[in-house]
Amino acid sequence: MKTQDIFVLGLTTFALFLGAGNLIFPPAMGLDAGTSLTSAMSGFLITAVGLPAFTIIVLGRIGNTNNLTKALPKWLGTTFWVLLFTAIGPAFGMPRAVTVAYEMGIQPFFKSDHLIAFSVIFSALTLFLAFKPGNLVTYIGKIMTPALILLLCGLGLSAFLNPLGVPATPYGDYQTGAITSGLIQGYMTMDAIAAVGFGWVIIHAIKAKGVTTQQGIASASIRVALIYATLMAACYIVMGYVGATSSSIAEHGVNGSVILTRYVAGEFGHYGQWLLAAIILMACLTTTVGLTNACAEYYQDTFKASFGLTATIIVVLTCAIANFGLNDILKVSLPAILVLCPVAIALVLASLAASTLTVSRLTHTAVLVTATAFGTIDAINILGKMPKELGTFFADSLPLYNAHASWLLPSLFMLLATAAIGRTAAAENKFGRVDYRLKTANNE
């Protein structure tokens, strides 16, 4: 691929990930971290940027996003993908983007409720931009992303050149464990699961540029991931600094949207709301367009469904569900997201092992079952539904339970154990082999 194509695809990837949620998390963390912002941000970047970038690289290394579940029984792999695209698409991710775009970008300008009209217009625009998937990189990478970056640069420069305050004393968990708290907050962005979905768009875009060898796709995905990681890290650092210098206008416990609204009002006065509206609307639109393409491409590739029909159904469902309101959307869909995220990361780790070694098909199934079981425990804990006695038992017996990652060590153990056992079994062809190791153009 040409350097220009790589750069544009990197910009597209950044815009796909940058939804309103990504702009809201860091200011709230920055406000609480205060003078410990550097430590908190270092942890945050590892999980909020590192995990998605790592996922993109692994997907590029295995050459095809379908390979992530290739070793699973067909019905189980299909179930995973359907649940994932339903969750990050019309059931949760896209309706959330629509409602956040309305609440932060439009509602402040009106006294009455116009959510229905807005969701129809926003969804129609999403469908218009997504209807020709071949133009996605052009729409987002060459037009929308540069405009979004310029708007973010305007906010960032004002924050650094004319801060509204100075970082205060760390608050809450940031007083003693800023790095750990940052790691947890970064993990809770759930961008790792979005990376699995967006992998369809990214890998397809690379192949559309004529890259067909597994080695070429892997190389291109690394460069795209580096561009995405650089831009997203810079955005998070700016938003975190905005939060850290907001102690004079915001109190601990408020969400990031309140901090951003007050900050732009303090920096730009009446025109600040227009700036914030432009940033939020642009960020949410790029996300909904990307998710529509990812979901529709999956159903097109897997079930041979028409892209246009599938995209239309996805957007219509999004429009309808968005009108139930953000709180109801979260109640219904968040549990599935919280379980799917560790499952997706575990499958990525298993696929990485398969791209380095020859392992048996048993590995992926065992890792998926383990991540699902312990991920469910983490989800119940995060949702505050864990019985007190049981929570105390898990806190004492499960490593990383309080960090909402009790699934990680059991999944890694299962990965290593089954890989070791599976290699011997695979040599005897008991379970079948899985081999995603990179191939050159000469031996592909």
Side-chain angles (χ1 to χ4, degrees), residues 62 96 148 152 169 191 203 234 257 271 298-299 301 311 314 317 321 365 378:
I62 64 179
R96 184 185 69 169
L148 179 58
L152 289 171
T169 303
D191 271 359
I203 300 301
S257 63
Y271 298 101
Y298 167 73
Y299 285 106
D301 290 352
I314 290 168
L317 286 174
I321 294 174
T365 302
D378 286 329

Side-chain angles (χ1 to χ4, degrees), residues 55 110 112 124 142 169 181 225 233 249-250 282 326-327 337 381 383 421 437 440:
T55 299
F110 297 94
S112 55
K142 295 183 179 180
T169 303
S181 297
I249 59 171
M282 192 77 71
L326 186 58
N327 288 335
I337 293 287
N381 181 32
L383 294 169
I421 296 172
R437 282 178 289 183
T440 64

Side-chain angles (χ1 to χ4, degrees), residues 98 106 114-128 285 288 315 319 323:
V98 174
I106 300 298
H114 298 285
L115 176 58
I116 295 178
F118 173 80
S119 61
V120 170
I121 295 171
F122 194 85
S123 298
L125 182 57
T126 295
L127 186 60
F128 172 77
L285 183 61
T288 57
V315 172
C319 181
N323 285 280

Side-chain angles (χ1 to χ4, degrees), residues 186-410:
Y187 173 72
M188 290 302 293
T189 64
M190 299 293 172
D191 271 359
I193 189 173
V196 174
F198 287 140
W200 284 82
V201 177
I202 297 165
I203 300 301
H204 277 233
I206 292 174
K207 291 180 177 179
K209 292 297 181 180
V211 181
T212 57
T213 66
Q214 190 172 348
Q215 191 174 44
I217 295 171
S219 176
S221 67
I222 291 174
R223 289 184 285 170
V224 168
L226 288 175
I227 295 171
Y228 148 77
T230 300
L231 292 173
M232 189 61 80
C235 177
Y236 281 148
I237 291 171
V238 169
M239 292 298 107
Y241 185 75
V242 165
T245 55
S246 297
S247 56
S248 62
I249 59 171
E251 60 280 356
H252 294 293
V254 302
N255 60 50
S257 63
V258 174
I259 296 172
L260 280 178
T261 300
R262 294 180 183 177
Y263 206 94
V264 294
E267 287 282 7
F268 303 101
H270 174 72
Y271 298 101
Q273 187 59 53
W274 290 97
L275 173 64
L276 182 60
I279 292 174
I280 294 299
L281 290 172
M282 192 77 71
C284 290
L285 183 61
T286 55
T287 298
T288 57
V289 172
L291 286 173
T292 300
N293 274 269
C295 294
E297 284 183 355
Y298 167 73
Y299 285 106
Q300 182 183 41
D301 290 352
T302 305
F303 302 108
K304 309 305 178 185
S306 164
F307 181 93
L309 176 61
T310 305
T312 301
I313 293 174
I314 290 168
V315 172
V316 169
L317 286 174
T318 296
C319 181
I321 294 174
N323 285 280
F324 283 96
L326 186 58
N327 288 335
D328 288 338
I329 294 172
L330 288 172
K331 287 179 183 178
V332 175
S333 303
L334 188 57
I337 293 287
L338 292 173
V339 176
L340 280 170
C341 190
V343 171
I345 297 173
L347 286 176
V348 168
L349 293 173
S351 297
L352 176 63
S355 72
T356 306
L357 308 166
T358 300
V359 300
S360 80
R361 293 178 180 273
L362 175 66
T363 297
H364 285 67
T365 302
V367 166
L368 181 144
V369 171
T370 303
T372 300
F374 287 92
T376 300
I377 293 174
D378 286 329
I380 296 172
N381 181 32
I382 293 170
L383 294 169
K385 302 297 184 180
M386 182 67 68
K388 185 176 180 180
E389 295 78 9
L390 200 55
T392 301
F393 170 76
F394 285 139
D396 293 336
S397 58
L398 287 180
L400 302 179
Y401 174 78
N402 291 326
H404 309 311
S406 62
W407 63 271
L408 180 59
L409 293 182

Side-chain angles (χ1 to χ4, degrees), residues 1-18 45 48-50 52-54 56-57 137 140-142 145-146 149 152 202 206 218-236:
M1 285 180 69
K2 297 179 181 178
T3 301
Q4 180 183 356
D5 292 332
I6 289 288
F7 183 71
V8 172
L9 185 53
L11 292 178
T12 303
T13 304
F14 164 70
L16 293 178
F17 278 96
L18 186 64
L45 293 179
V49 178
F54 170 75
I56 293 171
I57 291 172
V137 173
I140 296 180
K142 295 183 179 180
T145 308
I149 290 175
L152 289 171
I202 297 165
I206 292 174
S219 176
S221 67
I222 291 174
R223 289 184 285 170
V224 168
L226 288 175
I227 295 171
Y228 148 77
T230 300
L231 292 173
M232 189 61 80
C235 177
Y236 281 148

Side-chain angles (χ1 to χ4, degrees), residues 40-81:
M41 185 57 68
S42 63
F44 185 86
L45 293 179
I46 290 173
T47 47
V49 178
L51 276 179
F54 170 75
T55 299
I56 293 171
I57 291 172
V58 172
L59 290 176
R61 184 174 176 84
I62 64 179
N64 190 318
T65 45
N66 273 323
N67 283 343
L68 192 67
T69 55
K70 180 181 178 180
L72 297 174
K74 186 175 181 180
W75 69 268
L76 188 57
T78 301
T79 300
F80 167 78
W81 284 114

